[in-house]
Amino acid sequence: MIDNNKVTNIFLSGVGGQGTILASNILAEVFLKAGYDVKKSEVHGMAQRGGDVTTHFRFGKKVYSPLIKYGDVDFLLSFELLEALRYINWVKPEGKIVINKQEILPSGVNLGVAKYPQDVEKSFKKYFKDNVWVLNGQEMARKLGNIQAANVVLLGAFSNFFPEMKEEQFIDAIKTLLAPKLHDLNVKAFYEGRKTI
Amino acid sequence: MKEIMQGNSAIARGAWEAGVTVAAAYPGTPSSEILKEIADNYPEIYAEWAPNEKVSVEVASGAAIAGARCMASMKHVGMNVAADPFMTLAYTGIKGGFVIVIADDPNVHSSQNEQDSRNWARFAKVPMLEPGDAQECKDFTKIGYEISEKFDTPVILRTETRVAHSDSPVELENRVESKIPLGLDPKQAPKYVMVPFNVRERRKVVEDRMEKLSAYADEFKYNVMEINDPNIGVITSGVSYLYTKDVFPNYSYLKLGMVWPLPKKMIADFYKKVKKVIIVEELDPFLETEIKALGYKVWHGKDVIPNMYELDPMIVEKSLLGKKYKASKPRIAAGDLPRRPPNMCAGCSHRPMFYALKKLGAFVFGDIGCYTLATAPPLQALHTTVCMGAGVGEAHGAIKAMGKEGLGKIVAVLGDSTFLHSGVTPLMDVVYNKGASTTIVLDNRITGMTGHQEHPGTGFTVRQEPTNMIDYETLGKAVGVKHIRKIDPYNIKETMKVVKEEMDRDAPSLILCVDSPCVMLKREKRKFQAATYTIDTDKCRGCKVCLDIGCPAISWQEGAGATVDGHKRKGTVFINKDQCAGCEVCAQVCKFEAIVPGAK
Ligand code: SF4
Ligand code: SF4
């Protein structure tokens, strides 16, 4: 539910190449069209790929800062397990979380000098109880024919947190931001995800 | 109509709406998108990637002197390169409006230092505007042209990462063509020829202009006073205002849209209206120093707000509340999690080159680009990074210092774009001064790290039109290098042989990597023998040698076992076929022929 008297804070995290920024662009389009003020800021590592990517996304009647205050995240959408855990401290106690069940190993883990965290799901359940949803975005997207659409599957699931927004609003945004040849796949991906929560 | 735009896109839009016709830039994070946006969306503007920032400012200033509205954009360190023409343009002034965009990078997300570009405004005596969000990026760009023409001066628009790379709604307006007639007037020579006789005249103009600008700042509509709680007033600008307003909405504010020169009357007025003044600014105590120098008391400023890295709403709140600040409890110690530093892509041609250099034990004077990542484990094969082109001169200097001792141990390595940016000039120096250093150009056919921008060596302009292409061999010869070698970096043995020969040589040499385009580049693709490689677990002894190249597609898997011929092992490596590009580099380093073509 959207509280219109305050700013809603959404944090997205993932690894370069996963489509984190596209997902946040779709959200921005949806909420701008719905008449909200929106602010969004993203950070990515130095190289083209492989580094972590985060996006701060905020909407409300009037939004000042493009960055969310530490501990003030209402919704976390993460495209990778470790990148979800990295931001667990940012989420409010009553926050809602959607995580993609994918492990992308950082270089230290590849080299065998660092350990990939275990039981990410459990850690989240411990603090957020039923407010955590872990989905296998790749698998669902693979069934639709292209794992590239995993980000939109996740977004579909995430869209349920905003019952005020209609399905068509998301579909319109997807169509505005993606090339026509990708529309069918991503619209399907959105519906697939939307069914899950 | 409102559209969500990134700060950089909004600057491009502002340039277009302001009637700009010439724009030049060298890519640099976080400024790179500005010129790309202009090239992609605004055909009315001539746009070019210049080989470096100095050239971009020179091109733009030529257009300005001819009466055109123009823009040069760069990152903070780019301004160091451009400083030479810039400092003097402050004297000559312009004719058509000239806005220079400088994008700072607090917290050094991808730069070699953290510098506060507001100092340039004071140093050069030019006005500086500082937007906080995308709407302001567009508005301030447009007003920058008005100020530039009204006061006959270049204007700096200063952004920083959180402004350049943040998105917010922007109201779109139409383009208005400039009213200044194009043309050059030879009678204006005393204004533009900066020989001492003329400089002394212009020197007075500069001071006079600052006086006028200072008065203008008091009327400037984007210097805004907001009186709420009369007890606490905050003087701030740009994104710092947004962070502070977010956490302390009830304080009073003096938000400066123009950070140089300062609006003295407004500041005096603000001090009358509020009891205590706090100054919130990122990086240097720029406003604080100036306001104190005007004789005012500052209740809080850099005594509590950090003078390095980025600010954010939490830091502002924490700093100003001091002990009263209550943070949310951490659920896990985030520091315990493995970091995820960026890495060279699977299949990247820089990887085998640095592996070869490491094997040779070379001291590598480096540069800035994707290949700078070779300094990280496991490669750890790049030993200096100062600024673009620096490595070439450094290697030369080191060999001069060490004499014969330096031979066989030292190379300079830089990318194609950085070579053209400022590697050619020191290479001339190496030849001219009878040096002996080796310069390796990692030609990946594009400016890689900033996101694939064209340059004079790629054969394409910013708008993807085919154009003349630099031939590095001819260029090297023209500069006077006698020993020019071409190598295929994917062939590690051959690479090591050639590099060793050239390092040992008591004469300047230039090594050019060929047929090694960036693996992410769609236009040019290298054909590899096989699409992917895989591990033959019958043969893998788990010696971990292939992990030394640091390919992201290769990972270690624990698990005791043995090879078919009975060698015990503690685990094997694994190749992720979704990531492997088939470059065969790992297969070359495996002594046991355990890495073979094919997918598993
Ligand atoms: S062939 Fe080897 S080094 Fe090359 S991309 Fe594949 S796994 Fe990496
Ligand atoms: S693949 Fe070759 S180099 Fe890599 S661990 Fe196995 S035996 Fe060693």
Side-chain angles (χ1 to χ4, degrees):
Chain A
M1 282 291 176
I2 300 169
D3 180 349
N4 279 319
N5 294 314
K6 60 178 270 300
V7 173
T8 302
N9 296 324
I10 301 175
F11 195 96
L12 299 96
S13 65
V15 177
Q18 283 194 302
T20 313
I21 290 173
L22 175 68
S24 68
N25 286 344
I26 295 171
L27 285 176
E29 181 74 20
V30 168
F31 289 105
L32 178 79
K33 287 274 161 66
Y36 289 98
D37 187 18
V38 301
K39 279 226 163 104
K40 177 163 104 48
S41 176
E42 63 233 11
V43 189
H44 26 103
M46 294 169 87
Q48 296 265 313
R49 299 182 119 197
D52 52 336
V53 180
T54 58
T55 302
H56 294 240
F57 175 73
R58 315 183 73 208
F59 70 90
K61 247 190 270 165
K62 169 81 193 152
V63 183
Y64 287 100
S65 165
L67 295 182
I68 301 168
K69 207 172 79 180
Y70 175 78
D72 231 7
V73 168
D74 299 290
F75 300 97
L76 171 67
L77 172 56
S78 181
F79 297 92
E80 203 265 356
L81 288 164
L82 166 58
E83 295 314 314
L85 197 55
R86 206 185 294 285
Y87 298 100
I88 191 170
N89 299 336
W90 281 68
V91 188
K92 284 182 185 163
E94 68 278 16
K96 291 187 166 60
I97 296 141
V98 172
I99 305 173
N100 185 27
K101 200 183 186 115
Q102 188 186 8
E103 290 186 3
I104 301 176
L105 306 186
S107 54
V109 174
N110 270 341
L111 297 172
V113 297
K115 282 255 165 347
Y116 194 91
Q118 299 300 304
D119 300 325
V120 173
E121 225 176 306
K122 263 198 217 146
S123 310
F124 273 96
K125 287 260 154 73
K126 181 174 157 207
Y127 292 103
F128 300 97
K129 310 280 180 299
D130 294 335
N131 280 341
V132 188
W133 290 264
V134 181
L135 310 177
N136 192 335
Q138 276 74 247
E139 210 29 60
M140 292 163 74
R142 203 190 303 271
K143 282 195 189 127
L144 297 172
N146 194 334
I147 55 166
Q148 291 296 345
N151 59 343
V152 177
V153 170
L154 271 284
L155 188 72
F158 195 71
S159 69
N160 290 302
F161 296 143
F162 310 101
E164 297 85 347
M165 302 288 133
K166 295 195 198 69
E167 245 160 41
E168 300 82 73
Q169 289 174 288
F170 285 93
I171 302 293
D172 283 349
I174 288 171
K175 289 188 173 162
T176 312
L177 291 169
L178 284 161
K181 62 173 188 201
L182 299 171
H183 286 181
D184 278 358
L185 170 71
N186 282 283
V187 168
K188 268 192 225 149
F190 177 80
Y191 282 119
E192 200 58 33
R194 189 141 165 117
K195 283 192 297 203
T196 55
I197 293 190
Chain B
M1 197 187 75
K2 272 196 177 174
E3 196 176 290
I4 303 244
M5 277 190 173
Q6 196 192 49
N8 281 339
S9 314
I11 291 172
R13 177 77 192 189
W16 179 79
E17 288 180 6
V20 165
T21 56
V22 173
Y26 181 82
T29 311
S31 74
S32 315
E33 292 85 358
I34 300 170
L35 189 83
K36 182 76 169 62
E37 275 289 318
I38 289 177
D40 287 354
N41 299 322
Y42 308 112
E44 295 86 351
I45 306 178
Y46 164 79
E48 68 165 43
W49 287 125
N52 68 34
E53 298 81 0
K54 178 175 184 293
V55 175
S56 78
V57 164
E58 289 158 352
V59 168
S61 70
I65 291 168
R69 282 191 165 184
C70 61
M71 175 175 277
S73 50
M74 64 203 68
K75 69 183 295 178
H76 62 303
V77 289
M79 189 61 205
N80 304 347
V81 178
D84 206 1
F86 167 70
M87 294 298 285
T88 301
L89 282 165
Y91 281 53
T92 65
I94 45 88
K95 181 176 155 198
F98 186 2
V99 171
I100 299 178
V101 186
I102 310 179
D104 279 5
D105 185 16
N107 205 32
V108 279
H109 295 284
S110 57
S111 305
Q112 66 270 41
N113 72 21
E114 185 181 71
Q115 58 188 52
D116 189 331
S117 292
R118 291 178 300 173
N119 293 301
W120 283 114
R122 182 169 47 194
F123 191 16
K125 300 173 191 285
V126 298
M128 176 180 266
L129 306 176
E130 188 182 14
D133 63 12
Q135 181 68 51
E136 287 187 352
C137 280
K138 198 197 81 169
D139 295 345
F140 288 19
T141 301
K142 288 168 79 171
I143 204 136
Y145 287 97
E146 284 167 30
I147 296 172
S148 176
E149 286 166 4
K150 184 166 181 192
F151 295 94
D152 188 25
T153 174
V155 169
I156 304 178
L157 184 81
R158 182 229 188 191
T159 66
E160 44 88 64
T161 308
R162 296 299 170 173
V163 177
H165 284 173
S166 288
D167 302 47
S168 50
V170 174
E171 191 70 52
L172 304 184
E173 292 163 287
N174 293 329
R175 176 172 164 95
V176 180
E177 300 291 340
S178 159
K179 288 188 203 70
I180 294 183
L182 288 177
L184 295 162
D185 180 3
K187 285 201 247 26
Q188 291 277 310
K191 178 173 180 316
Y192 296 116
V193 180
M194 287 302 91
V195 291
F197 176 76
N198 292 335
V199 175
R200 290 185 201 113
E201 286 307 307
R202 296 300 301 176
R203 183 74 186 83
K204 287 184 270 181
V205 176
V206 170
E207 290 305 324
D208 189 38
R209 187 179 67 203
M210 278 322 274
E211 286 285 310
K212 289 185 186 136
L213 273 161
S214 194
Y216 174 84
D218 279 317
E219 256 99 73
F220 186 54
K221 69 171 178 178
Y222 290 102
N223 287 338
V224 187
M225 214 184 284
E226 241 177 76
I227 303 297
N228 302 308
D229 178 352
N231 290 307
I232 301 178
V234 179
I235 302 180
T236 182
S237 65
V239 80
S240 302
Y241 164 74
L242 300 174
Y243 298 154
T244 319
K245 179 78 185 168
D246 207 69
V247 283
F248 299 111
N250 298 323
Y251 286 179
S252 295
Y253 286 89
L254 173 58
K255 178 195 182 284
L256 301 178
M258 189 190 274
V259 290
W260 191 255
L262 294 179
K264 293 189 189 128
K265 277 198 201 126
M266 262 186 126
I267 292 170
D269 202 23
F270 192 61
Y271 267 87
K272 278 188 210 121
K273 290 189 164 124
V274 297
K275 279 205 190 109
K276 292 173 177 171
V277 169
I278 299 173
I279 296 177
V280 182
E281 56 189 327
E282 217 164 39
L283 302 180
D284 293 350
F286 181 83
L287 300 174
E288 187 175 340
T289 306
E290 291 299 327
I291 288 169
K292 280 179 176 163
L294 291 172
Y296 297 102
K297 266 215 182 95
V298 170
W299 183 43
H300 281 309
K302 289 295 162 190
D303 56 330
V304 292
I305 308 266
N307 68 350
M308 55 180 113
Y309 315 138
E310 271 185 307
L311 299 184
D312 64 28
M314 177 190 73
I315 295 172
V316 171
E317 193 181 30
K318 210 168 154 179
S319 310
L320 295 183
L321 290 183
K323 282 200 195 96
K324 282 177 282 171
Y325 174 79
K326 267 210 253 89
S328 52
K329 265 208 213 96
R331 301 174 179 103
I332 61 155
D336 292 350
L337 298 176
R339 288 181 54 239
R340 194 184 291 280
N343 189 354
M344 287 183 277
C345 304
C348 174
S349 65
H350 302 328
R351 180 173 288 108
M353 171 53 86
F354 281 98
Y355 182 78
L357 291 171
K358 187 181 186 177
K359 286 260 133 191
L360 289 168
F363 186 94
V364 178
F365 286 96
D367 202 291
I368 300 161
C370 295
Y371 46 85
T372 315
L373 301 170
T375 198
L379 284 168
Q380 294 173 296
L382 179 135
H383 308 106
T384 73
T385 298
V386 174
C387 67
M388 281 197 242
V392 179
E394 287 169 336
H396 170 63
I399 292 189
K400 284 285 177 192
M402 294 167 72
K404 290 266 183 280
E405 276 297 298
L407 285 185
K409 299 192 181 87
I410 290 166
V411 284
V413 173
L414 74 178
D416 42 346
S417 180
T418 37
F419 179 57
L420 297 177
H421 178 281
S422 46
V424 182
T425 341
L427 185 61
M428 269 188 265
D429 183 66
V430 177
V431 176
Y432 171 62
N433 286 306
K434 302 177 185 166
S437 59
T438 302
T439 303
I440 302 179
V441 178
L442 305 173
D443 180 13
N444 69 353
R445 316 297 309 133
I446 202 76
T447 319
M449 184 176 242
T450 42
H452 286 184
Q453 290 84 6
E454 308 293 346
H455 61 69
T458 67
F460 293 90
T461 67
V462 63
R463 289 200 166 104
Q464 303 296 304
E465 294 145 359
T467 183
N468 299 313
M469 180 161 58
I470 295 271
D471 177 69
Y472 300 110
E473 189 177 7
T474 315
L475 177 63
K477 275 189 194 147
V479 166
V481 183
K482 297 252 156 34
H483 307 280
I484 302 178
R485 309 281 297 265
K486 290 188 174 176
I487 56 166
D488 174 1
Y490 288 100
N491 185 336
I492 297 174
K493 256 197 207 132
E494 188 61 23
T495 297
M496 283 176 68
K497 189 176 147 271
V498 172
V499 172
K500 181 82 181 82
E501 278 168 24
E502 295 311 319
M503 283 198 303
D504 286 342
R505 194 191 292 283
D506 194 1
S509 23
L510 180 64
I511 299 177
L512 305 169
C513 292
V514 293
D515 192 20
S516 52
C518 172
V519 279
M520 295 281 108
L521 191 62
K522 295 207 174 77
R523 179 173 65 221
E524 284 179 60
K525 277 263 172 237
R526 166 151 174 153
K527 289 239 177 343
F528 295 114
Q529 301 247 329
T532 57
Y533 278 72
T534 189
I535 304 294
D536 180 346
T537 43
D538 287 345
K539 289 189 184 159
C540 176
R541 292 194 190 180
C543 70
K544 293 192 178 179
V545 165
C546 57
L547 290 176
D548 290 347
I549 61 175
C551 173
I554 311 181
S555 52
W556 176 246
Q557 284 184 331
E558 295 275 337
T563 60
V564 157
D565 49 359
H567 287 279
K568 288 226 173 73
R569 65 183 176 209
K570 291 204 175 110
T572 63
V573 292
F574 166 79
I575 292 180
N576 180 341
K577 69 170 186 325
D578 290 338
Q579 274 184 294
C580 173
C583 74
E584 212 199 320
V585 167
C586 54
Q588 288 181 54
V589 306
C590 174
K591 284 189 284 262
F592 306 103
E593 291 170 354
I595 304 182
V596 292
K600 233 191 200 163

